[in-house]
Amino acid sequence: MQARYALRFDSGERKGEQVSISGAGVTIGRKPGNSVQLLDGSVSGRHAEFSLDSNGVVLRDLGSTNGTKVGGERVSERRLEHGDAVLLGNVRLTFLDTQRPAPEAAAVGGPEQGGLELELEGEGADPVQATRPSAFEAARAGEGAAASAAARESASAASSSVSSPSSSQASNQTSGDAVRTISADKVARSKRLSVASGLFLLAAIGAGAGGWWWLRGRETASGAGVARAVEVTPGNLLGASFSFEAVELDGEDSPWANDAAAAAVFTVDGGSRRSGDFGVGAVLSAGQSALLRSKPIAVGSTRKLALTAFARVDGAARARVGLEFEASSGASARTLVWSPAAAAGEGFETLEWSCDAPPGFDLVRVVLGARATGEGAADFDDLVLLAGGDPAPALAQDSLQLVALGAPATAAVLFKIDRTLVSDLHARGADGERLELSAAPADGAFLLSVGAAATSISLRADGALTATAPVTLGEGGYRSHGASFEREGLSRLVLGAGKDLIALGFDTPVRVQARAEGSGLRLEFNVSGAARLKLQVGFRAERESALGLAREAREAERAGRLGESIALWTRLRDETPFDTELLAEGEATRARLVEGGVAEARNLRAEIERARFFRLVELFRQCRERAESLGRRFAGSELAGAAAELVREVRTDLDLLEADLNKAERARLESIERALSAAQNDRLAQRVRTYRQELAGARGAANGGGQ
C-alpha cells in the first residue's frame, strides 16, 4: 500500500524525486547512514528528521548549522501540513499528503529571498550559525504573534552583522556538524526562557544588531550564543585544547581522539559549549558509550594532579572525567582512574577531582567518558589540569607500596622501589562501569574489597612477575601454566619468584582467564557480588613451613618411607609453593620416587606372569612378599593403590594354584591309603589317613575354615 505522506525535492541533486515517509520516518543529511543522503554543502551531516505518528508528520531539526525552515521561518520542530515548503540549507522540498492534490513547487527562503546567508558544511564550517536562530525557537515556544515577529526581525537584523566571520576565524574553527537531538529536558529549558526572551527581543527591534548580541549572552540553557568568554587558567597542562576552540578531533596531530572501540563518538559542537564557540558532545542510544582521550602529557616530578571540567548531561546518560596513566617504556599497563559521575541536570555541572600520580608512570591523558542506559547526551567544556599538592600516604609492606588511585579509588597499582609489579588493577560491574575499591593493610598482604555489584576484577602482572610460569591452586590441586590459560575453582594464584613474588587469593573459588598483554600478563577474575582479593607480598611463615616439610620428606626417604616422602613433597607444592628451590627439589624427588616405584611394580608383574606360566608355588609366594613390601614402602602415595592391587592378584593366583595342588595331593594320598588297606598294612594306612586329614585342615584354616 502506498504511503500517505511524502517529500518532493524541488531543488538540488534530487530535484524532481519524491520520497515516501513511513515506518520509523526519514532522516536527511550529508553523511552516509541517513535515509536520504544529500551531498549539497549547505546540508549538515544529520540535518533533519521527519517522524510519523498517528496525527501526521513532525519535522525536527537535528542541530544543523544552516538550520531548517518551514514557510520561510526557521524552526527546531514543527508539525507539517500538506503543501508546506521546507528548506534544508539551500535544498527546497515540499511536504505532501498524497490524498490531496499536489501543490506547485515554490522557491523558499534561500539567500536570494532575503534569508540568512548559508555556510558550506565542510570540515571547517562554523557551527555558531546553527545557534543564531535560537530567538525563533523562543518566539515559537512563547507568547504570541508580537514576540514571533520581533524574533524574526531581530534575527534578520543580526544576520547581516554576524553571518560572515573573519578569515582568521574561519581558518581556525573546526566543524560544528553536531549529530545531536533535542532532548525533552532541553526543550523544557528553552520553553522556560521563552517569555523573557520574547521581551528582550521586542526591545531589540529598536536596538538592531546590538540587541541581538546582547540576547546571545543570555541564551545559556540550550548552549545558543556565547555564554561567556573563555577563561584561561595559568599552568593548565592541556594547553590551548582545554576549551575545544579551533580543535579538530581524531586527526594524526589532533590533541584529542575518540576511542575506536566505542559505539558512539564525541564531536566538536557549538551546541556543547559552556564558553567560547565550541565544546564537545556525544549523543548516545541505550547501551552505548563514548570515550575521548587527550594526547599524552608528561608527568615529570608531579606527585598529584587536579582536574576540573564542566559537564552537562541530558536524558539517561552519565558522564565522567578521568586520568589515564601510562609508562612510555611499556613496562606497565595504561591505568585509567575515573571521577564520580555527573548525572542529568539543568545545566553544566562542575566536576572537580584530584588523583595521585602513581610512581612508575611518566605520562597522563585526560579522558572524557559518557555512557547511556537509554537515549541521552553529554557535553564537556573548559577542562583544567593542574599539577601540585602532596599525594595521600600509600599502603606499604617492606619495599612495596599499594597506591590506590582516585577519591574514591577506582584503580590501584603495586609498586616496588623503581618498578611496577601490578598495574591497572580495577573491578567492574555488569554494566561495564568501573567500581570503587577499598584497600587495607594486613599481615604481609594488602586486602582489596569491591561491592556487591562486582562481576570481575582485572589486573596486569608486569616485569619480574612474568619471568616464571604462573602457578594456580584450587579444586584439583596444583597446576603450572603457560602465558594463556583458564581455570575454574581457583583459590590462589602465584606469580614471580624469590624477592619478586606475590600471591593472589580469594575467599571463595573463582574463575580466572589469563592472556599475554604487551610485556605483561592480563588476568581477569570472574566474581559474583562482593569480593575480597588478598594480594600477598610477605611469605616468611609459608617459607618456614616449606622448610619443615622438606626436612620431613628427606628423613622419610632415608627411612624407606617413600610414600610418606612423596606425600610431604606434594603437600609442600600444594600448600606453600613460594620457595622456588624447594619446589624444584620436591618435584624432582617426587618424580624420581614415583618412577622407581612404577619400575619396581612393572618388574614384579613380569615375575607374577612367569610364576603363572610355570605354576611355581614358591615363586608366587616370593612375588606376594615383594608386593606387600612395595605397598608398605609407598603407603600414602599414588603407588600404594597399585601395590595393593598386585598383592590381591598374587594372593588370588597363589590360592588357586595351591588349591589345585592340594586336590591332586589328596587324590594321590587316598590312592596310597587304599592300597595299604588292601595289603592289610593298617598301621601305614592310618598314618597316611592322618596326614591327609592334617593337610585338609591346614587348607581349610587358610581359607577361613572351609574344606
Side-chain angles (χ1 to χ4, degrees), residues 120 164 166 215 246 253 392 440 463 606 613 634 682:
L120 294 181
S164 300
S166 68
L215 176 64
D253 298 321
F613 182 80
F634 285 92
D682 295 334

Side-chain angles (χ1 to χ4, degrees), residues 252-403:
E252 183 176 347
D253 298 321
S254 299
W256 295 89
N258 280 286
D259 189 324
V265 296
F266 282 96
T267 58
V268 174
D269 178 6
S272 299
R273 67 177 175 261
R274 172 184 173 270
S275 69
D277 291 327
F278 300 102
V280 289
V283 176
L284 307 104
S285 299
Q288 287 188 334
S289 62
L291 205 65
L292 187 70
R293 289 183 173 89
S294 75
K295 64 181 180 181
I297 301 166
V299 175
S301 60
T302 300
R303 302 182 66 195
K304 195 177 191 70
L305 293 164
L307 177 61
T308 302
F310 292 89
R312 180 177 61 196
V313 182
D314 288 323
R318 300 178 73 193
R320 298 176 187 262
V321 294
L323 295 174
E324 188 173 54
F325 296 96
E326 181 179 352
S328 57
S329 64
S332 306
R334 287 186 180 183
T335 299
L336 176 60
V337 193
W338 284 117
S339 75
E346 287 296 311
F348 277 96
E349 174 184 344
T350 306
L351 293 177
E352 293 182 305
W353 177 68
S354 63
C355 181
D356 295 340
F361 294 82
D362 56 350
L363 300 173
V364 67
R365 300 172 191 263
V366 175
V367 183
L368 308 180
R371 183 183 295 272
T373 56
E375 299 295 323
D379 301 310
F380 289 96
D381 201 6
D382 298 331
L383 278 65
V384 177
L385 180 65
L386 298 175
D390 294 325
L395 300 178
Q397 296 278 353
D398 296 329
S399 60
L400 290 99
Q401 297 179 49
L402 182 72
V403 183

Side-chain angles (χ1 to χ4, degrees), residues 298-519:
V299 175
S301 60
T302 300
R303 302 182 66 195
K304 195 177 191 70
L305 293 164
L307 177 61
T308 302
F310 292 89
R312 180 177 61 196
V313 182
D314 288 323
R318 300 178 73 193
R320 298 176 187 262
V321 294
L323 295 174
E324 188 173 54
F325 296 96
E326 181 179 352
S328 57
S329 64
S332 306
R334 287 186 180 183
T335 299
L336 176 60
V337 193
W338 284 117
S339 75
E346 287 296 311
F348 277 96
E349 174 184 344
T350 306
L351 293 177
E352 293 182 305
W353 177 68
S354 63
C355 181
D356 295 340
F361 294 82
D362 56 350
L363 300 173
V364 67
R365 300 172 191 263
V366 175
V367 183
L368 308 180
R371 183 183 295 272
T373 56
E375 299 295 323
D379 301 310
F380 289 96
D381 201 6
D382 298 331
L383 278 65
V384 177
L385 180 65
L386 298 175
D390 294 325
L395 300 178
Q397 296 278 353
D398 296 329
S399 60
L400 290 99
Q401 297 179 49
L402 182 72
V403 183
L405 301 174
T410 57
V413 171
L414 181 66
F415 187 78
K416 181 175 182 179
I417 305 175
D418 59 353
R419 62 189 185 279
T420 58
L421 294 182
V422 171
S423 55
D424 192 28
L425 195 164
H426 64 273
R428 292 183 184 273
D431 59 358
E433 290 279 359
R434 295 198 178 199
L435 304 177
E436 179 180 347
L437 296 171
S438 62
D443 184 18
F446 302 104
L447 301 179
L448 291 104
S449 300
V450 297
T455 59
S456 69
I457 296 176
S458 178
L459 60 90
R460 195 181 93 164
D462 296 323
L465 296 186
T466 63
T468 57
V471 167
T472 60
L473 304 175
E475 299 172 2
Y478 168 101
R479 295 181 192 171
S480 180
H481 303 276
S484 298
F485 64 92
E486 295 183 15
R487 183 171 183 183
E488 300 278 357
L490 173 122
S491 59
R492 184 177 286 184
L493 187 147
V494 182
L495 297 165
K499 295 182 179 180
D500 291 318
L501 177 72
I502 69 169
L504 308 173
F506 292 87
D507 295 335
T508 57
V510 299
R511 180 173 181 265
V512 63
Q513 294 175 286
R515 68 179 186 279
E517 181 181 278
S519 61

Side-chain angles (χ1 to χ4, degrees), residues 98-246:
T98 59
Q99 296 181 0
R100 299 173 61 182
E104 294 295 325
V108 181
E112 67 275 12
Q113 282 78 37
L116 290 173
E117 295 183 13
L118 302 180
E119 295 193 3
L120 294 181
E121 280 280 350
E123 290 303 315
D126 180 7
V128 175
Q129 296 290 342
T131 67
R132 290 176 191 140
S134 61
F136 285 128
E137 299 176 17
R140 180 178 170 275
E143 315 304 319
S148 178
R152 288 193 295 273
E153 185 172 346
S154 177
S156 177
S159 68
S160 63
S161 64
V162 300
S163 60
S164 300
S166 68
S167 60
S168 62
Q169 288 174 322
S171 65
N172 290 330
Q173 289 170 337
T174 57
S175 173
D177 181 11
V179 187
R180 299 295 301 272
T181 58
I182 301 175
S183 69
D185 183 59
K186 285 188 175 180
V187 172
R189 293 202 300 268
S190 177
K191 289 182 178 179
R192 286 197 293 275
L193 291 175
S194 61
V195 175
S197 299
L199 294 176
F200 290 137
L201 286 168
L202 286 173
I205 295 175
W212 166 255
W213 285 106
W214 181 85
L215 176 64
R216 291 181 71 196
R218 300 287 296 171
E219 294 174 337
T220 60
S222 65
V226 179
R228 54 173 59 82
V230 175
E231 300 175 3
V232 178
T233 302
N236 191 348
L237 299 178
L238 286 169
S241 70
F242 77 98
S243 65
F244 303 100
E245 304 297 308

